[in-house]
Amino acid sequence: MKPKEFLQYTYIFPVLAVIYYFAGFMGQGIISDIIAGILLTGSVLSAVHHAEVVAHKVGEPYGTIILALCITIIEVALIISLMVAGGEQAITLARDTVFAAVMIILNGIIGICVLVGGVKYFEQFFARTSATTYLVSIVSILVITLVLPNFTSSVNGPYYNTAQLIFVSIACLVIYGVFLMVQTVRHRSYFVPADGNAEEHFIPNKTQTVVSFFLLVVCLIVVVLMAKGLSKTIEDMVQSMGAPKSLVGVIIAGVVLLPEGLAAIRAARNNQFQSSLNLALGSALASIGLSIPAISAVSIMYDIPLVLGLDKKDIILLTLSVFIVMLSLSRGKTNVLYGTVLLVNLAAYIFTVIVP
């Protein structure tokens, strides 16, 4: 690699963000939080760049899997750290954050990708088999983790007991594990763009790939650390608005999903909607399929009550979102109407969080 490449913002921002965080400059006032926000944004954009470098090297669908897994691991780490620190006050944080992530992905990321692609290309095409494979797995995990707890009778309320948590965790891991096998081995062709990679001319060398993967991990970690550091500011802002505390989970999920969202939108702009779909739905599946088992393990270890069941309003919004996504992806091609409807669903979700 040439020395001047290290002077690009994609290399500078992660280093500055790490120095700023570990030097203890955060939380010193409005100015320090604004600077932290700028560095966080730069780190998000850097993460998108480095994720794309890695994806170009390993090809589809492995590149999107790497980014989905990285973001999910960081999301889980953030949720667990806040759960342990918050104790019983954080019993709904995991549910709110995971649910927010799913709603943002299904309605927001996919909606923007469909809308952006529809405006630029009128229609974009993808493999219906890939969408069906994703949605079958996602819907099953969503129901057994976020809906079924409301209807079990071993424990009163939207809870699972220990035995149920263990079973549900194993079920999530089995579904996700088999899905990965299908995606990478038995039916890999479902998830590879039919027209190949539009940017195949850029093939990074081994050194560039290793450096970008390392910086991708650094960017994702520093994004979560800064988001956690800014969580008190976010909570104060939410309280000043008079909004419910569940809005904090929405904001945290939005920050964590920024790198993947931007990468998916960029792929849609390059007429690579299959890659956008792999990023979005792959992230949704990894987010809930891996987060719930990890969160359940922490809940059992630390004896923290874990609320998983959604209330009636959220179940209705989740059902609407899944139904609209299934209809939108049922034909193998998109248009601007699908994207518009999905974004309206997202707006309805956020609005009802703020004004329940």
Side-chain angles (χ1 to χ4, degrees), residues 122-259:
F122 290 90
E123 288 183 335
Q124 289 185 300
F125 301 89
F126 58 93
R128 285 182 294 176
T129 47
S130 69
T132 301
T133 307
Y134 277 120
L135 290 172
V136 164
S137 305
I138 291 171
V139 171
S140 176
I141 295 178
L142 282 174
V143 172
I144 65 175
T145 56
L146 299 181
V147 178
L148 188 59
N150 292 320
F151 301 97
T152 55
S153 56
S154 296
V155 182
N156 291 326
Y159 301 91
Y160 276 138
N161 63 22
T162 300
Q164 291 169 331
L165 277 178
I166 293 173
F167 171 79
V168 168
S169 299
I170 293 173
C172 291
L173 293 175
V174 168
I175 292 174
Y176 188 72
V178 174
F179 171 83
L180 279 185
M181 184 269 291
V182 168
Q183 186 182 26
T184 58
V185 181
R186 294 187 69 90
H187 301 287
R188 181 172 177 265
S189 59
Y190 290 178
F191 306 91
V192 178
D195 57 347
N197 195 330
E199 299 180 9
E200 196 66 36
H201 60 275
F202 170 64
I203 304 295
N205 58 40
K206 184 177 180 180
T207 302
Q208 289 174 315
T209 304
V210 171
V211 170
S212 286
F213 180 75
F214 172 76
L215 286 175
L216 170 61
V217 175
V218 170
C219 288
L220 294 175
I221 291 174
V222 79
V223 164
V224 172
L225 290 175
M226 285 194 152
K228 183 180 178 182
L230 292 171
S231 62
K232 185 63 172 64
T233 303
I234 295 172
E235 289 179 4
D236 292 342
M237 180 184 70
V238 169
Q239 288 180 353
S240 66
M241 292 169 55
K245 201 170 183 179
S246 56
L247 183 60
V248 175
V250 177
I251 296 173
I252 291 174
V255 171
V256 172
L257 290 170
L258 264 179

